[in-house]
């Protein structure tokens, strides 16, 4: 038995190594590309934590004009950690990406453990391999944002609660609670998509091969409601979250800057989109392609069918139900921001691993060649690499070619404490690339009055491109002509738009005069 355990533990390294190699691709890339605006805000916080030496409860962003830029946001654990690494190794974006990769690699290990505890070592190993090679996991396992840490904390919470249920170690329960609290502080939605599988684990226990009678389920549900562990676990996490978000709301109210977590400004729920078949079909298509590389979908179905009667399989099913609830209540955000579906991978990958084993048994029973299985694995890997290459890395390379020359010029010409005006709409990517603070504005708002206002507030330059409204959205020709008219460029005015990207870097003083 010990020999078998040793063999399984040794095999953990193969999915981890594959996952590491895939995540190291483009690790040195600047923060551009898909969801660069989200990464830019996170990177700005990390930079300010390092340079300003501010505590974790005072996160700052770049688009605050002449003010310090303290912002109402989720608990900034990830950027704070990156900021501390900046102090040791210098300000390099690959450090933040490297930390995300480290968290993602640890998650592969935990996905294998979770699949092993719920099903068997083989299912767990394959689940970890799928987590290592699927495109959404790879991309958000290397981005400069908190998602990689969030998924790791969720995996820790599930794994430690599984350990507590099997061995009754109080330390495991404490670690599960701590990881759950931190996950809910980083994002509020884990209260549902992580809370439900944890409740299911409490309810169904670790029974593996038999279906509980309904009367037994009702009895255990009653015991669950009367358990002090469950109430302390859940209520204490909710209280801690309320304390932080109440403080954060006050910080945003004072500074005037927020990520719109509260009230009507959230704009997350949409009743119209909820009943729009096209929205749901697009979401399903995206999940099938980017979460599952198409061929992972039948494996999930196989895995689900094989464990639908098993008690421990209910934990994964509860996680999927929790994700569905979160999608319904944040329909608009879920349809726009694909990383909202990333937590699905914690539940889909172990099911894929179980489905793979079931599928393999079926082929063996029918004496079909295992070449077919190798072909399926090769297709999943190939689709993953194609999606990564064209949907993600190609976008990063093309946008880096456009914006990095301008950003480097700003770094060289503008003093670190000086302010600039970035004509990139609501997108702070250029501000972060330039490592400068200032104002965000759109092309339509560039006029004489605003130019005077920014200049009087301390702005020295106005920057942007005649081709781009935001770093990833094309600018309409009429708005580009509006900018040319306002700039009134001539030979005496340096930094005017030039081909091929028509970026500009114009001193405000010359425009005002």
């Amino acid at each position: 038995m010990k020999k078998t355990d040793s063999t399984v533990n040794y095999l953990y390294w193969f999915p981890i190594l594959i996952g590491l190699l895939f995540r190291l691709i483009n690790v040195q890339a600047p923060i551009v590309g898909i969801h660069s605006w989200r990464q830019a805000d996170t990177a700005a916080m990390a930079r300010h934590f390092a340079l300003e030496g501010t505590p974790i409860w005072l996160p700052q962003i770049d688009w605050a004009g002449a003010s310090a830029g303290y912002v109402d946001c989720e608990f900034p654990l990830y950027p704070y950690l990156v900021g501390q690494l900046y102090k040791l190794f210098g300000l390099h974006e690959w450090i933040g990406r490297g930390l995300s990769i480290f968290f993602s690699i640890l998650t592969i290990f935990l996905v294998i453990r979770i699949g092993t505890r719920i099903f068997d070592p083989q299912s767990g190993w394959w689940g970890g391999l799928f987590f290592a090679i699927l495109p959404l996991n790879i991309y958000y396992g290397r981005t400069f944002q908190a998602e990689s840490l969030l998924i790791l904390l969720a995996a820790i919470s599930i794994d430690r609660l599984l350990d507590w249920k099997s061995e009754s170690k109080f330390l495991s329960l404490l670690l599960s609670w701590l990881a759950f609290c931190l996950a809910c502080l980083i994002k509020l939605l884990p209260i549902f998509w992580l809370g439900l599988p944890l409740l299911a684990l409490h309810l169904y226990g670790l029974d593996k091969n038999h279906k509980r009678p309904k009367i037994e389920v009702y009895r255990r549900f009653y015991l669950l409601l009367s358990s002090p562990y469950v109430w302390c676990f859940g209520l204490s996490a909710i209280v801690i979250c309320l304390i932080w978000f109440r403080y954060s709301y006050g910080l945003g109210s004072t500074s005037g800057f927020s990520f719109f977590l509260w009230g009507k400004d959230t704009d997350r729920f949409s009743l119209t989109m909820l009943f729009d078949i096209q929205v749901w079909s697009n979401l399903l298509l995206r999940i099938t392609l980017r979460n599952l590389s198409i061929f992972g979908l039948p494996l999930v179905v196989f895995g689900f069918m094989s464990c639908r009667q098993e008690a421990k399989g209910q934990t994964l099913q509860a996680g999927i139900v929790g994700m569905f609830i979160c999608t319904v209540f944040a329909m608009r955000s879920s349809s726009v921001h694909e990383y909202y579906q990333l937590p699905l991978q914690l539940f889909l990958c172990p099911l894929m691993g179980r489905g793979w084993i079931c599928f393999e048994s079926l082929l063996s029973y029918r004496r079909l060649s295992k070449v077919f299985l190798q072909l399926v694995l090769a297709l999943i890997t190939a689709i993953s690499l194609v999606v990564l290459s064209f949907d993600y890395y190609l976008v990063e390379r093309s946008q880096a070619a456009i914006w990095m020359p301008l950003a480097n010029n700003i770094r060289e010409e503008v003093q670190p404490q000086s302010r600039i005006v970035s004509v990139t709409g609501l997108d702070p990517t250029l501000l972060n690339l330039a490592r400068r603070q200032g104002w965000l504005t759109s092309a339509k708002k560039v006029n004489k009055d605003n130019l005077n206002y920014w200049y009087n507030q301390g702005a020295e330059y106005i920057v942007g491109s005649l081709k781009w409204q935001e770093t990833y959205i094309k600018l309409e020709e009429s708005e580009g002509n509006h900018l040319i008219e306002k700039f009134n460029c001539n030979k005496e005015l340096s930094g005017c738009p030039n081909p091929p990207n028509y970026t500009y870097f114009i001193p405000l003083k010359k425009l005002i005069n």
Side-chain angles (χ1 to χ4, degrees):
M1 187 66 181
K2 290 183 179 179
K3 184 177 180 180
T4 302
D5 291 341
S6 177
T7 302
V8 173
N9 288 333
Y10 174 76
L11 291 177
Y12 280 17
W13 291 104
F14 182 74
I16 290 173
L17 179 60
I18 294 297
L20 175 62
L21 293 176
F22 280 175
R23 284 156 178 76
L24 286 175
I25 299 174
N26 257 24
V27 69
Q28 80 290 346
I31 298 175
V32 291
I34 302 299
H35 295 302
S36 63
W37 58 269
R38 185 68 180 89
Q39 298 182 65
D41 279 330
T42 307
M45 291 183 195
R47 189 174 76 251
H48 292 304
F49 280 133
L51 298 180
E52 306 295 333
T54 48
I56 194 171
W57 56 85
L58 288 177
Q60 296 170 269
I61 39 82
D62 285 335
W63 37 272
S67 68
Y70 299 124
V71 65
D72 167 23
C73 66
E74 300 100 337
F75 189 63
L77 177 59
Y78 172 82
Y80 184 78
L81 293 175
V82 177
Q84 306 319 299
L85 292 176
Y86 278 172
K87 293 179 181 179
L88 297 175
F89 303 107
L91 207 158
H92 308 285
E93 279 80 6
W94 62 262
I95 292 176
R97 291 187 184 275
L99 189 62
S100 291
I101 291 172
F102 175 71
F103 292 147
S104 188
I105 294 304
L106 289 180
T107 306
I108 295 174
F109 173 78
L110 289 173
V111 167
I112 296 175
R113 282 171 57 104
I114 291 170
T116 299
R117 288 178 180 273
I118 292 179
F119 298 125
D120 53 71
Q122 293 78 20
S123 298
W125 189 89
W126 281 104
L129 181 63
F130 290 131
F131 191 92
I133 65 175
L134 289 172
L136 204 70
N137 300 335
I138 294 174
Y139 184 71
Y140 290 101
R142 55 174 286 287
T143 53
F144 206 120
Q145 57 191 100
E147 265 58 34
S148 183
L149 174 57
L150 173 68
I151 302 305
L152 172 64
L153 290 170
I156 291 174
S157 186
I158 295 172
D159 176 73
R160 291 298 84 200
L161 194 62
L162 283 166
D163 188 70
W164 179 68
K165 295 294 289 186
S166 63
E167 300 186 22
S168 300
K169 295 180 180 177
F170 179 75
L171 179 60
S172 294
L173 179 65
L174 182 62
L175 290 174
S176 176
W177 170 82
L178 179 62
F180 178 68
C181 288
L182 290 174
C184 294
L185 285 169
I186 292 175
K187 298 281 185 180
L188 275 172
L189 293 179
I191 290 178
F192 299 101
W193 61 254
L194 181 55
L196 281 181
L198 294 179
L199 277 175
L201 187 54
H202 274 292
L203 179 63
Y204 289 99
L206 299 177
D207 287 353
K208 188 172 183 179
N209 295 316
H210 81 279
K211 181 181 178 182
R212 291 185 182 276
K214 288 186 177 180
I215 187 66
E216 174 67 11
V217 175
Y218 294 149
R219 185 185 72 83
R220 292 189 65 84
F221 186 71
Y222 172 77
L223 293 175
L224 180 69
L225 293 179
S226 60
S227 170
Y229 290 109
V230 173
W231 284 105
C232 290
F233 193 104
L235 289 179
S236 58
I238 291 174
V239 168
I240 290 173
C241 288
L242 286 175
I243 292 173
W244 168 258
F245 285 105
R246 180 64 187 87
Y247 161 77
S248 183
Y249 177 77
L251 183 65
S253 299
T254 302
S255 68
F257 300 104
S258 171
F259 288 141
F260 304 119
L261 299 175
W262 319 106
K264 63 179 182 179
D265 290 330
T266 57
D267 196 27
R268 299 177 192 271
F269 178 77
S270 172
L271 189 61
T272 302
M273 295 179 70
L274 191 60
F275 295 99
D276 190 330
I277 296 178
Q278 185 175 357
V279 171
W280 284 102
S281 60
N282 290 339
L283 188 61
L284 179 61
L285 178 62
R286 191 168 68 191
I287 290 173
T288 303
L289 180 61
R290 296 185 176 178
N291 290 64
L292 299 171
S293 287
I294 300 176
F295 291 94
L297 181 59
L299 294 178
V300 169
V301 174
F302 269 100
F304 179 82
M305 295 299 293
S306 70
C307 72
R308 68 185 187 280
Q309 303 296 339
E310 294 181 5
K312 287 205 294 187
Q314 303 297 319
T315 300
L316 301 177
Q317 296 171 33
I320 296 174
V321 171
M323 281 298 302
F324 176 77
I325 293 172
C326 292
T327 301
V328 168
F329 281 99
M331 192 67 217
R332 189 181 300 278
S333 297
S334 298
S335 64
V336 175
H337 311 311
E338 64 182 3
Y339 53 80
Y340 272 59
Q341 283 81 54
L342 184 61
L344 269 174
Q345 301 302 87
L346 277 179
F347 314 112
L348 294 181
C349 287
L351 287 173
M352 285 179 66
R354 178 61 177 265
W356 180 272
I357 298 301
C358 295
F359 195 37
E360 188 177 29
S361 301
L362 182 64
L363 291 178
S364 176
Y365 175 75
R366 295 183 178 180
R367 296 183 179 180
L368 294 177
S369 172
K370 290 192 176 182
V371 173
F372 182 72
L373 279 173
Q374 297 172 358
L375 177 62
V376 171
L377 183 60
L379 286 172
I380 290 175
T381 306
I383 291 172
S384 179
L385 292 175
V386 169
V387 170
L388 287 166
S389 298
F390 290 96
D391 288 356
Y392 297 107
Y393 300 149
L394 181 61
V395 177
E396 285 184 347
R397 288 193 295 270
S398 62
Q399 290 192 7
I402 294 169
W403 297 107
M404 279 311 298
L406 175 60
N408 288 329
N409 194 16
I410 296 171
R411 292 184 193 180
E412 293 173 1
E413 299 293 333
V414 181
Q415 293 298 317
Q417 300 304 319
S418 299
R419 309 285 164 148
I420 63 175
V421 179
S422 177
V423 190
T424 51
L426 298 176
D427 179 12
T429 299
L430 181 55
L431 286 175
N432 177 69
L433 291 175
R435 298 178 183 173
R436 297 296 182 269
Q437 289 180 280
W439 290 261
L440 289 175
T441 191
S442 63
K444 293 180 180 179
K445 294 182 180 179
V446 176
N447 53 50
K448 182 178 179 180
D449 290 339
N450 284 334
L451 289 172
N452 278 289
Y453 170 77
W454 293 320
Y455 179 72
N456 292 331
Q457 289 292 310
E460 294 188 8
Y461 292 87
I462 186 167
V463 300
S465 170
L466 295 183
K467 298 181 67 175
W468 297 92
Q469 173 183 338
E470 298 181 350
T471 58
Y472 53 91
I473 298 177
K474 291 283 187 177
L475 183 68
E476 294 182 5
E477 185 177 353
S478 60
E479 293 180 330
N481 293 334
H482 167 78
L483 287 176
I484 293 175
E485 178 184 346
K486 295 300 178 184
F487 294 158
N488 191 25
C489 279
N490 52 57
K491 293 182 179 180
E492 297 178 357
L493 195 60
S494 62
C496 281
N498 288 305
N501 298 314
Y502 293 93
T503 56
Y504 50 87
F505 175 43
I506 304 175
L508 274 176
K509 185 176 181 179
K510 292 185 177 181
L511 287 180
I512 299 301
N513 292 337

